[in-house]
Amino acid sequence: MSGTTTATGTYVYGVVAAGAEIPADLAAVGGAGEITLIDHGDLAAIVSDIPTDRPLGRPDDLKAHERVVDAVAAERTVLPMRFGGVVRDDRAVVSELLEPHHDFFADALRQLDGRVQFVVSGRYDQDLLLARIVERNPTIAELSRELRDTDPDATHFERIKLGEQIAAEVDREREADAGTAVELLEPLCEGIVVKQAGGEDGALHLAVLVRRDRQAEFDDALEALANEWGERVTLQLIGPVAPFDFLPEPEQEAGVEA
């Protein structure tokens, strides 16, 4: 691994229990070096060498980091580090990270043991969504009819008003759908974080923490929700992914940000 006489540092992906095995054929951040483990007591850091003669931050770097921590999370409990964690060398991984923060990492691994994060996202069929809104809101339906065959330039402000009313209805629809999803899935989860759904057609964005031994139940509940919503919302389950949304609060003095 790295040494102080070479133009490399040690990149840290996350922390696992000692004795873990890392999936093979994972590409390292920076495009070079082998991903290995540095053990210290009952902990191990997932690391690779990284050149220090160029800044991090390229899209490929971020994707490589995510692929590594997600691949590990699929197999075992991992405490992922935020992207960009580089220390001087292997000795610093122990002296600045694993040793001084051993108890914090060990407790966090215990809290997440046997649990895995997924992301549930949903997209609206915009035609079906708009038809639903128009059907339920007489004011929007009437204004839509009034503007249907008018000159866009002559009815500019009315069209802005219509757009604002539709956007407000879409927000209410998202809020209601998120509430429905949380109510159904929460009994099967160890934790749920509701996030903002991105894009005009974004319907739902949840981070969920699920026990590995309850994944089948969770999948069945999500399928039932998809059947209930039909073509109006297309659901996607992403994961397992590294449990960034359910990490315990990091220690203030941690050498590499968790």
Side-chain angles (χ1 to χ4, degrees), residues 67 89 142 180 206 218 256:
R67 281 194 293 267
D89 55 26
E142 181 179 356
T180 297
L206 304 178
F218 177 82
V256 178

Side-chain angles (χ1 to χ4, degrees), residues 32-133:
E34 179 185 2
I35 298 173
T36 61
L37 294 171
I38 295 177
D39 290 334
H40 178 71
D42 55 357
L43 299 176
I46 308 166
V47 301
S48 65
D49 283 343
I50 189 167
T52 57
D53 57 357
R54 71 167 180 86
L56 288 171
R58 299 175 181 175
D60 286 347
D61 293 333
L62 178 57
K63 290 177 182 177
H65 177 90
E66 291 178 345
R67 281 194 293 267
V68 170
V69 294
D70 288 349
V72 175
E75 302 290 336
R76 64 188 66 256
T77 305
V78 60
L79 301 178
M81 298 294 167
R82 300 299 178 186
F83 171 72
V86 180
V87 295
R88 183 179 63 256
D89 55 26
D90 291 2
R91 292 186 296 276
V93 173
V94 174
S95 64
E96 298 177 11
L97 185 66
L98 297 180
E99 189 173 274
H101 308 291
H102 171 276
D103 292 346
F104 169 74
F105 289 139
D107 185 59
L109 284 170
R110 282 192 293 270
Q111 291 181 44
L112 291 172
D113 186 41
R115 297 159 176 81
V116 64
Q117 178 174 331
F118 290 91
V119 173
V120 179
S121 65
R123 295 287 172 189
Y124 287 122
D125 180 300
Q126 290 189 307
D127 291 338
L128 293 178
L129 176 63
L130 182 58
R132 179 183 173 95
I133 289 173

Side-chain angles (χ1 to χ4, degrees), residues 66 82 117-123 171 174-175 177-179 181-182 191-199 202-209 241-247:
E66 291 178 345
R82 300 299 178 186
Q117 178 174 331
F118 290 91
V119 173
V120 179
S121 65
R123 295 287 172 189
D171 287 341
R174 286 194 183 106
E175 184 177 354
D177 286 339
V182 169
I192 295 183
V193 177
V194 180
K195 299 188 171 188
Q196 183 175 356
L204 186 71
H205 188 181
L206 304 178
V208 299
L209 190 68
V241 298
F244 282 109
D245 290 292
F246 300 98
L247 292 174

